[in-house]
Amino acid sequence: MIDTDELDRIYPPPYDDPHQRRLTSKNLAVLWSNLRAAGAPRLILTMVALHPEDELPSIRDAVPEAEITVVRLLASEDVLLERIGRREVGLGLGDQGRRSLEALRFMESGPAGEWLAVETTGRSVAEVAGELLRRAGWPG
């Protein structure tokens, strides 16, 4: 599992790649090559993708043989804020909460995409993962 936020953690961002898409794609390609060589059967990326259709081309470039399944994990605003409160500390909490609620509302207002949507409220990580494996048709 790779969190794409960790693939482009640089400040300041490159002047010619302000959203770090190229940097993310290059780092993902190297990591996937190494993971694949070590026998990894699949890659799970975590990311906030407000516009998955904009993100997928660079992922396909980095992992050309990939069969991509986009998954949206669902939770209410209250649950989302509670989870953020457990994870964030200090001054980042307010900012992260505000940005996360804006992203949630944006995604909820958009058209349904071609992705699996899984409710996570009141469920363990193992329960959510098990449902995803079954629905995506992946072996356990």
Side-chain angles (χ1 to χ4, degrees), residues 11 21 23 27 41 52 58 89 115 118 128:
Y11 186 83
R21 275 211 181 119
L23 179 61
N27 286 338
S58 63
V89 291
W115 52 66
V118 177
V128 171

Side-chain angles (χ1 to χ4, degrees), residues 10-52:
I10 183 173
Y11 186 83
Y15 75 92
D16 62 341
D17 188 17
H19 300 289
Q20 295 113 324
R21 275 211 181 119
R22 284 194 310 277
L23 179 61
T24 298
S25 183
K26 287 178 184 179
N27 286 338
L28 178 58
V30 170
L31 278 171
W32 175 239
S33 175
N34 290 338
L35 291 169
R36 191 71 172 153
R42 72 178 58 92
L43 173 65
I44 298 173
L45 293 177
T46 63
M47 64 191 315
V48 175
L50 296 178
H51 303 280

Side-chain angles (χ1 to χ4, degrees), residues 4-17:
T4 59
D5 283 348
E6 298 304 320
L7 295 175
D8 60 18
R9 201 167 291 280
I10 183 173
Y11 186 83
Y15 75 92
D16 62 341
D17 188 17

Side-chain angles (χ1 to χ4, degrees), residues 38-116:
R42 72 178 58 92
L43 173 65
I44 298 173
L45 293 177
T46 63
M47 64 191 315
V48 175
L50 296 178
H51 303 280
E53 66 279 359
D54 293 341
E55 304 288 344
L56 291 175
S58 63
I59 293 169
R60 284 190 178 96
D61 287 346
V63 188
E65 72 278 9
E67 192 175 308
I68 297 174
T69 302
V70 177
V71 177
R72 179 179 281 174
L73 301 177
L74 307 174
S76 69
E77 289 185 8
D78 290 340
V79 169
L80 183 63
L81 289 174
E82 186 268 327
R83 289 175 181 168
I84 291 168
R86 287 190 316 223
R87 184 183 73 220
E88 295 294 326
V89 291
L91 298 175
L93 177 59
D95 254 6
Q96 186 63 51
R98 186 175 53 259
R99 285 194 327 256
S100 295
L101 289 178
E102 287 171 2
L104 173 66
R105 291 173 186 146
F106 177 83
M107 288 187 277
E108 288 177 339
S109 70
E114 292 186 26
W115 52 66
L116 295 178

